[in-house]
Amino acid sequence: MVILGIDPGYATVGFGLVEGDRVRQRLIQCGTIKTPAGGPLAPRLKQIYDDTCLLIRQFTPDAMAVEALFFNTNAKTAIPVAHGRGVLLLAGEAMGVPVFEYTPLQVKQAVTGYGRAEKAQVMEMVRRLLGLEQIPKPDDAADALAVALCHLRSTTSLMNRAGG
């Protein structure tokens, strides 16, 4: 199973492609989609959409996992990021890829076993689960890999297989 994990944004979107099952996972590719800072929002959203569709065409993932938004301070950035997230969801739907959404708490729980884990703990577990020598960079890409691993672990859990 190939999962495209997404850490949404509008300046920088993290993506991570993981292949595997409950026992073994491997990194296919990770990186970021960057849009020009200070530019108008509409062309930036179009670039995110186009680049996401390109990733889906190139890697043909079985599913796309997107992190849900969590903002506790800056509502000014929340709105453009929400626009970016909407475009990402649309790209998955338009390309016929099943889209799944996970909260940061769900991602941390799936990757570390603790829903309140610190960012450094999540990054280290991403490195370990994928058998990498170093934590993937930039952080947006590593976050996207965590989302992909969350989905992979959720869909291959024994409860899910048993219909629970």
Side-chain angles (χ1 to χ4, degrees):
M1 174 179 281
V2 175
I3 309 299
L4 170 59
I6 299 285
D7 180 35
Y10 75 103
T12 304
V13 174
F15 71 87
L17 287 133
V18 173
E19 180 179 38
D21 54 33
R22 181 118 180 107
V23 179
R24 286 181 287 279
Q25 303 90 32
R26 81 173 178 90
L27 170 69
I28 297 172
Q29 186 165 335
C30 67
T32 57
I33 297 169
K34 291 188 176 275
T35 64
L41 183 60
R44 293 171 81 177
L45 295 175
K46 183 175 183 324
Q47 180 185 343
I48 291 167
Y49 177 83
D50 290 344
D51 288 355
T52 304
C53 290
L54 180 65
L55 280 171
I56 292 169
R57 275 193 295 279
Q58 183 176 354
F59 293 100
T60 60
D62 298 298
M64 184 168 139
V66 181
E67 188 170 50
L69 297 182
F70 173 76
F71 287 95
N72 58 359
T73 53
N74 193 350
K76 186 178 179 183
T77 58
I79 293 170
V81 172
H83 289 319
R85 187 171 180 280
V87 166
L88 291 159
L89 297 174
L90 174 62
E93 183 68 22
M95 297 295 291
V97 177
V99 177
F100 300 86
E101 302 174 61
Y102 296 95
T103 66
L105 187 114
Q106 288 173 308
V107 173
K108 291 175 181 182
Q109 178 69 38
V111 174
T112 69
Y114 177 57
R116 303 275 185 228
E118 298 292 324
K119 187 172 185 79
Q121 292 171 300
V122 175
M123 298 298 107
E124 176 59 19
M125 284 305 297
V126 166
R127 183 192 73 74
R128 287 180 183 202
L129 289 169
L130 294 173
L132 305 173
E133 291 185 20
Q134 296 181 346
I135 293 171
K137 295 289 180 197
D139 285 355
D140 303 285
D143 290 343
L145 288 169
V147 177
L149 288 167
C150 172
H151 182 72
L152 190 61
R153 301 186 109 196
S154 296
T155 59
T156 58
S157 75
L158 293 176
M159 276 183 56
N160 194 24
R161 282 193 220 145

